[in-house]
Amino acid sequence: MTEQMLIVSKGAMVQKPNKAGLEEIAHLLWFGHLPTRAELASLQASLLEQRQLSRDLLALLRTLSPETAPMDALRTVVSAWGMYANVQGKPSIEQAIALTARFPLILATFNRLRQGLEVLEPRADLGYTANYLYLLTGQEPKAEHIKGLDAYLVMLADHSMNASTFTARIVASTASDLASAVVAAISALKGPLHGGAADKAQEMLAAIGTAENAEPWIRATLTSGGRLMGFGHRAYKTTDPRSEELREMARHADPIGFAFARHVEELAISTLAEIKPGRRLYTNVDFYSAVLLSSVGIPVDLFTPTFAVARIAGWTAHILEQAANNRLIRPLAEYIGPDQHAFIPLDQR
Ligand code: ACO
């Protein structure tokens, strides 16, 4: 692991929420240090300059059915961006900025179109996070919503070698282009065992419905072999530290939603310990994301895409790092099947 990779891996984790905004963290991930005021202004100007969707991309978005899953829409439009913008060759910081600037636009535009609403022009007077909220809702974003969403985006901007980041690095390691690596990362994040758990956690809370129903619902799900979304983690065998931060953010953002989620969380952890002894299953980042994102007005099916809006800075930082010092990632597989058989020609089998 290189020094830069350590920075990328730990960058988002060492920041407490509300101490630095998403653009500052993107600078940390891309350039290896927090920006000075001048560096931040320069990055913000670059992101602003790229805050636009071409006619081709808008036309493509208009062809998508309102039923399209938002992660599919994001994946498709990012792939088309790579094609129309002719994103080829070695990944560059300019490409990373161009794509990061477009992620919120793609999702907000899709969200407006599927509701039959007019597409809004991005506003130059709003920062990255505020602009996303404005484009989604068409309303002046509230200060506490901007703060809550920005803290969420910072928290999820990067997280070492998770499945989607690893996927991005594998694609980048073949000397493929940045858009292709990000399309692959989106595809990995979509899965419900990874980022796709965010909306599933919200669906779980909605299905439980009442405090009294929590215990029987959790027990029935676990005894029938189901999984509780927002719990368990491949790397953390204790509470995901991000979930502790998100728990506090959710407590302030939506006290009523929080109280119910906290009740479900406590029962989930104790019932998991009873039914899955020794597995050490605790709350992960997706559980309180559900409460927090709901409280700032993000629609449930945009939870995972909003996770992607947070993670695009981290993905592209990893892609740039991989490309800068590349070697093909190619694991060996241990064959455990039957020993070699004699070859029998087709007409004799
Ligand atoms: N609910 C119930 N049981 C669980 C859960 C869960 N959330 N997670 C793991 N288990 C159980 C499994 O059933 C298995 O039990 P068994 O030994 O009786 O068969 C045991 O714990 C180990 O499960 P694995 O899938 O091998 O554990 P792993 O560490 O590979 O899984 C994962 C990690 C995929 C995140 C898992 O905990 C899970 O499916 N969680 C629910 C989905 C989720 O919240 N994903 C988001 C993760 S965070 C992120 O990616 C941003």
Side-chain angles (χ1 to χ4, degrees), residues 276-296:
K276 297 274 174 185
R279 308 309 195 287
R280 295 187 293 161
L281 300 167
Y282 298 96
T283 320
N284 67 44
V285 71
D286 282 323
F287 186 69
Y288 281 108
S289 293
V291 182
L292 188 74
L293 292 179
S294 291
S295 77
V296 303

Side-chain angles (χ1 to χ4, degrees), residues 156 159 162-164 188-189 191-198 200-201 221-222 225-237 240 242 272 275-287 289 307 311:
L156 272 74
H159 196 231
N162 57 85
S164 55
L189 186 74
L193 298 189
H194 188 13
K200 297 277 181 284
T221 300
L222 291 178
R227 290 190 176 213
L228 302 181
M229 304 317 264
F231 295 88
H233 197 276
R234 174 59 65 82
Y236 296 121
K237 295 304 170 195
D240 181 337
R242 298 167 300 170
L272 280 165
I275 297 182
K276 297 274 174 185
R279 308 309 195 287
R280 295 187 293 161
L281 300 167
Y282 298 96
T283 320
N284 67 44
V285 71
D286 282 323
F287 186 69
S289 293
F307 190 156
R311 194 48 66 81

Side-chain angles (χ1 to χ4, degrees), residues 29 103 135 199 253:
L29 293 168
F103 256 47
L135 291 177
D199 44 322

Side-chain angles (χ1 to χ4, degrees), residues 235-317:
Y236 296 121
K237 295 304 170 195
T238 175
T239 305
D240 181 337
R242 298 167 300 170
S243 81
E244 294 183 357
E245 296 287 357
L246 284 164
R247 184 190 291 132
E248 291 316 302
M249 285 151 62
R251 190 196 300 272
H252 293 293
D254 175 10
I256 295 173
F258 168 80
F260 177 60
R262 181 72 175 138
H263 174 71
V264 171
E265 180 192 26
E266 284 171 346
L267 282 171
I269 291 173
S270 59
T271 316
L272 280 165
E274 179 196 322
I275 297 182
K276 297 274 174 185
R279 308 309 195 287
R280 295 187 293 161
L281 300 167
Y282 298 96
T283 320
N284 67 44
V285 71
D286 282 323
F287 186 69
Y288 281 108
S289 293
V291 182
L292 188 74
L293 292 179
S294 291
S295 77
V296 303
I298 305 283
V300 175
D301 67 354
L302 289 190
F303 286 2
T304 305
T306 301
F307 190 156
V309 170
R311 194 48 66 81
I312 181 62
W315 285 336
T316 49

Side-chain angles (χ1 to χ4, degrees), residues 25-26 42 48 54 81 85 143 145 157 175 183 211 227 232 240 245 289 297 336:
I25 295 304
S42 164
L48 191 57
S54 67
W81 170 78
H145 287 179
V183 167
R227 290 190 176 213
D240 181 337
E245 296 287 357
S289 293
I336 56 166

